[in-house]
Amino acid sequence: MRRTVFNEDHEAFRETLRAFIEAEVVPVYDEWFAAGQAPRDFYYKLGELGIFGISVPEEFGGAGLDTHKFEAVLYEETARAGVQFGGSGVHVLLALPYIKMLATDEQKKRYLPKFVTGEEMWAIAMTEPGTGSDLAGMKTTAKLSEDGTHYVLNGAKTFITGGVHADKVIVCARTAAPTAEDRRHGISLFAVDTTSEGYSIGRKLDKLGLRTSDTAELAFVDVKVPVEDLLGEENKGFSYLGHNLASERWGIAFGAYAQAKAAVRFAKQYVQERTVFGKPVAHFQNTKFELAACQAEVDAAEAVADRALEALDAGELTPAEAASAKLFCTEVAHRVIDRCLQLHGGYGYMNEYPIARLYADNRVNRIYGGTSEIMKTIIAKDMGL
């Protein structure tokens, strides 16, 4: 079936992006993989390309386009090439919605111009050691100073993607104790400058997959955060976090579908070139059946991902629909990528082949942004169960 989700502008962007990846990323990607992160100056190139400013208002240096479709093209093209853009996805997909939704005009004037150029990279720090998906259990605190000019931030965060290169981090912290009626009460969001005294980066975490994205532990010891860097209203942070979960989960769903589609492409190319018992692997019936089954699953995931994309752009994607899309697309990607790796035989286990890296990169999709089990809980609740 012909897709209708993209128009000529999106396809022109795809061509530009594909050429950029081939010229700027593919030749050096092995170096990034070995280093465990993309170089900081790469983000300036993304800024020059306009990646960071697509949905930023024009007055702050962006293109002012209120759509996620260019992000969708980015997911497809990076997966197709078997690469990642380091930790930059968090910059746009996670941090930007909070800035656009919560920042005052004065804050936007300070934050967004450098956001667009890549001069200031952003991350978001929610998860803490020992809390996982239970954000209401966070222990990081931000106490208002006696003179009311700043907050004093203390605590620790972990699994912070983009945490090594970040210049600004949206930190979730407790500004008040939870109440007996609502343990989620008392969380606030702050835009924290990573050069602040008392702010430190701990370990750069050694991950199974997504090797080129810098993921770190963060610590805060009496970090002074000016009151001018409070995002939104005090103590309402948890509701803000929930507001953006649908777009985050759509992003994971679409990225997973794109990975599954890329896996079929890699496997098809490999089995056509690889000869076993005097024949290309593609000539065996089992190979044809396996790839046909994978293609059918990818087609279904594409339809779900596209439908969620249209709903998101229309402002109609519900939490349950986002959870359903994430659950379905990530589970499909898990099955498809595993089967495509199997078709590579022993070579599928070698990191020099993109299918091996894709296998490792994909695994986290069923964990972050809410585990598959959490997605099922949300869907079941929406069903009235």
Side-chain angles (χ1 to χ4, degrees), residues 31-222:
E31 297 174 18
W32 297 5
F33 189 84
Q37 62 185 28
R40 178 62 179 84
D41 61 4
F42 173 67
Y43 298 137
Y44 292 110
K45 294 181 180 180
L46 292 180
E48 292 173 2
L49 191 63
I51 295 293
F52 298 148
I54 291 171
S55 63
V56 172
E58 292 182 56
E59 62 188 293
F60 303 116
L65 301 176
D66 189 18
T67 177
H68 289 79
K69 292 183 178 179
F70 292 96
E71 292 172 37
V73 172
L74 178 61
Y75 285 127
E76 291 186 335
E77 288 305 306
T78 51
R80 180 184 182 277
V83 301
Q84 298 279 336
F85 279 0
S88 65
V90 169
H91 184 68
V92 174
L93 182 65
L94 299 189
L96 182 58
Y98 290 103
I99 300 172
K100 291 172 64 177
M101 177 177 69
L102 301 175
T104 63
D105 288 341
E106 184 277 330
Q107 288 174 323
K108 288 178 181 177
K109 289 177 183 177
R110 285 194 287 123
Y111 300 155
L112 288 176
K114 293 181 179 180
F115 180 101
V116 170
T117 62
E119 189 175 346
E120 286 187 348
M121 294 299 296
W122 287 65
I124 185 165
M126 291 186 274
T127 305
E128 296 184 1
T131 61
S133 297
D134 181 21
L135 295 179
M138 71 175 61
K139 294 180 173 58
T140 296
T141 61
K143 296 182 178 180
L144 188 63
S145 62
E146 291 185 3
D147 61 7
T149 62
H150 62 272
Y151 291 85
V152 180
L153 182 67
N154 283 282
K157 300 289 181 178
T158 192
F159 303 148
I160 309 308
T161 301
V164 174
H165 284 320
D167 302 287
K168 296 277 191 182
V169 177
I170 298 174
V171 177
C172 310
R174 282 208 165 276
T175 44
T179 65
E181 297 77 22
D182 185 7
R183 61 191 294 267
R184 299 173 296 183
H185 171 75
I187 294 173
S188 301
L189 307 184
F190 299 91
V192 180
D193 191 320
T194 62
T195 62
S196 302
E197 184 177 354
Y199 180 104
S200 63
I201 301 170
R203 292 185 301 151
K204 182 169 75 70
L205 299 175
D206 185 16
K207 305 186 302 296
L208 170 68
L210 301 179
R211 301 284 298 183
T212 63
S213 70
D214 49 306
T215 302
E217 296 173 329
L218 306 179
F220 322 110
V221 179
D222 293 334

Side-chain angles (χ1 to χ4, degrees), residues 263 332-343 355 359 362:
V332 164
H334 161 65
R335 293 191 297 270
V336 167
I337 294 170
D338 183 75
R339 293 163 83 174
C340 288
L341 186 150
Q342 188 73 15
L343 288 173
I355 192 68
Y359 183 86
N362 168 74

Side-chain angles (χ1 to χ4, degrees), residues 5-6 68-69 72 250 254 305-314:
V5 70
F6 298 123
H68 289 79
K69 292 183 178 179
W250 163 79
F254 205 96
D306 284 356
R307 186 181 69 175
L309 172 56
E310 295 285 21
L312 181 63
D313 268 11

Side-chain angles (χ1 to χ4, degrees), residues 180-295:
E181 297 77 22
D182 185 7
R183 61 191 294 267
R184 299 173 296 183
H185 171 75
I187 294 173
S188 301
L189 307 184
F190 299 91
V192 180
D193 191 320
T194 62
T195 62
S196 302
E197 184 177 354
Y199 180 104
S200 63
I201 301 170
R203 292 185 301 151
K204 182 169 75 70
L205 299 175
D206 185 16
K207 305 186 302 296
L208 170 68
L210 301 179
R211 301 284 298 183
T212 63
S213 70
D214 49 306
T215 302
E217 296 173 329
L218 306 179
F220 322 110
V221 179
D222 293 334
V223 176
K224 292 182 179 180
V225 183
V227 293
E228 293 83 8
D229 286 323
L230 171 69
L231 287 173
E233 295 184 43
E234 195 178 79
N235 300 328
K236 293 189 176 181
F238 198 91
S239 65
Y240 299 146
L241 296 175
H243 183 83
N244 286 320
L245 279 175
S247 62
E248 178 183 352
R249 287 168 179 165
W250 163 79
I252 297 170
F254 205 96
Y257 138 71
Q259 290 176 324
K261 183 177 181 178
V264 173
R265 175 175 177 268
F266 295 144
K268 178 182 175 183
Q269 181 179 359
Y270 179 83
V271 299
Q272 288 176 328
E273 297 172 351
R274 175 68 171 169
T275 300
V276 177
F277 303 122
K279 296 180 180 179
V281 176
H283 283 202
F284 294 94
Q285 187 180 62
N286 179 69
T287 304
K288 296 176 182 180
F289 281 7
E290 282 292 285
L291 281 178
C294 287
Q295 183 62 52

